[in-house]
Structures are given as structure tokens and as C-alpha cells.
Amino acid sequence: DAMVIQNPRYQVTQFGKPVTLSCSQTLNHNVMYWYQQKSSQAPKLLFHYYDKDFNNEADTPDNFQSRRPNTSFCFLDIRSPGLGDAAMYLCATSRDPGRVGNQPQHFGDGTRLSIL
Amino acid sequence: SQQGEEDPQALSIQEGENATMNCSYKTSINNLQWYRQNSGRGLVHLILIRSNEREKHSGRLRVTLDTSKKSSSLLITASRAADTASYFCAMNTGFQKLVFGTGTRLLVSP
């Protein structure tokens, strides 16, 4: 089945130690998104790629970076994780939604990041 | 903030009952989407309603949209224990981005 896969499901890192989360998709969608979701809160968009075009949200900390080497893969890099970065990180994809955005997003099951 | 507010925050019902969740938002939208999230999992798209639509059905789901009141509702009829999850509305104001509401946690007891 076509899907969005996130690895690992659970990631533990130390305070200040860089960590990379990965996302792959078999849907061949040209838009990929990274969301941060803290406990009992709504997902918050960090950034998204439209093909290779990177779009950062204004309030996304500089500590968060992303790479998309090809259509299928996207990575989230946290350069120096702090305790406040502990959260679920969700990757999503969509077809080209065009100007009006009438396309659903397809989510992976997320990576839960813990900071020691 | 463009974030939507959902009401109630939590809802507990018995199997077979109907569940209604409401979403209010602040800005003009192109469409509004509803998603379900089971505990510890990703979000699953349920239904998309465009700004020029007033009502949409999908199986046991019924969504309404009132753009004059900037509000939407999701009705789940004949609830099942498997419907237990968090439900989020998400507003699309253009292009690729969604802004999610605060969510409703639904518990359906057998």
C-alpha cells in the first residue's frame, strides 16, 4: 500500500545532541510537511517542501532544519535539542493542492522524541 | 492566531449514540478538513468540505459548514468503540498549508 513511513517511531536523545528524523513516502506526492505536536495539543506546522522549494514558518526556531534529497525522502534535523523540543513529530504529504488547496494530507505515524 | 477552536474539548458517550463536535475559526477559508488521530498515531483524513459547500456526508460522518458564522460541525452517527480518538478540524486558507484546531477527545464506551 502507498504510504508515509516515519523512522524511528521512538527516538531518545540527549540535551544538545543533534538528532535526525526521517520520512519516506511511496505516494509520489510533491508536497511534504513537518509538524510538531506536543501532548494534547494541535499539530503545528514547522515547514513544508513544494517539490524542492523549502517554505519555513515564521515562528519555527532556527534549531530546526530540513532536507529533501529527492521526492520520496524528507529529513528533520534538530541541531541542539532542548527539553522543550520533546514532542511527536509528524510528516505528511499531499498532491499539488493548487491555489485553493483542495487536497487532503496523508500522515505518517510520527516519531516521538524524548530528550534526556 | 488563525487556530480554530473546537468544542467540546472532551466528549464521552455510549456506543450507538451520536457524537457532535464543533469548530470555529477566525479567517476566510478555501476549505475545511476533519482528521482523526488515534492515540500515539498519525492523523487520518476524514472529510474535506469546500467553502462553497454547506453539507457533506461520508458513511456515518456528516459535516456542515457555515462560512457566515465561521463554524463547522462534525457529526458521527451510531458511534462505535473504534471511533474513540481525537478529532481535529483544519482550515485551509490557501495553497498548501493547514492550520489545525485544538481538537476534541472522543471516548465511546461499549
Side-chain angles (χ1 to χ4, degrees):
Chain A
D1 285 341
M3 54 200 311
V4 181
I5 301 168
Q6 291 188 244
N7 285 306
R9 290 292 312 278
Y10 302 92
Q11 176 74 56
V12 181
T13 191
Q14 292 179 333
F15 182 94
K17 185 174 181 180
V19 64
T20 294
L21 309 182
S22 71
C23 177
S24 64
Q25 56 136 338
T26 60
L27 297 162
N28 203 34
H29 286 168
N30 57 338
V31 190
M32 294 187 78
Y33 311 79
W34 279 105
Y35 290 88
Q36 178 191 64
Q37 186 179 28
K38 296 189 175 180
S39 182
S40 299
Q41 294 185 20
K44 179 179 179 296
L45 182 64
L46 295 174
F47 24 61
H48 73 277
Y49 278 93
Y50 184 95
D51 291 325
K52 292 187 176 183
D53 291 336
F54 177 70
N55 299 272
N56 199 29
E57 292 301 296
D59 56 355
T60 298
D62 292 340
N63 199 24
F64 291 84
Q65 304 284 319
S66 185
R67 296 170 284 135
R68 189 179 186 186
N70 53 52
T71 300
S72 301
F73 286 88
C74 197
F75 300 97
L76 170 62
D77 301 308
I78 308 176
R79 292 191 297 186
S80 181
L83 296 179
D85 297 328
M88 173 80 90
Y89 290 88
L90 295 162
C91 174
T93 73
S94 76
R95 295 180 189 274
D96 183 349
R99 190 172 57 83
V100 295
N102 286 332
Q103 290 290 337
Q105 293 187 12
H106 300 258
F107 284 79
D109 275 337
T111 295
R112 183 167 297 281
L113 179 66
S114 299
I115 314 294
L116 299 180
Chain B
S1 168
Q2 295 179 0
Q3 187 178 58
E5 297 289 332
E6 291 188 55
D7 173 62
Q9 290 187 350
L11 180 60
S12 184
I13 60 173
Q14 299 290 121
E15 267 192 328
E17 294 180 341
N18 295 341
T20 300
M21 291 158 254
N22 303 295
C23 171
S24 60
Y25 56 92
K26 297 178 181 177
T27 62
S28 297
I29 60 170
N30 289 327
N31 65 72
L32 188 144
Q33 303 178 30
W34 285 90
Y35 289 79
R36 183 187 76 231
Q37 185 177 34
N38 289 81
S39 181
R41 304 295 296 273
L43 282 77
V44 174
H45 179 262
L46 296 175
I47 199 163
L48 182 154
I49 186 165
R50 302 182 186 208
S51 60
N52 61 354
E53 296 176 312
R54 293 296 169 257
E55 187 170 314
K56 204 161 183 180
H57 297 256
S58 177
R60 293 183 296 112
L61 306 180
R62 172 178 169 254
V63 168
T64 62
L65 179 64
D66 187 336
T67 53
S68 66
K69 295 181 179 178
K70 292 187 168 57
S71 68
S72 175
S73 67
L74 170 66
L75 168 67
I76 304 174
T77 60
S79 297
R80 306 166 181 168
D83 294 327
T84 294
S86 292
Y87 292 81
F88 293 92
C89 63
M91 283 61 68
N92 179 282
T93 57
F95 298 97
Q96 298 93 334
K97 299 198 299 185
L98 291 177
V99 176
F100 284 86
T102 50
T104 293
R105 294 189 309 279
L106 175 65
L107 173 63
V108 183
S109 301

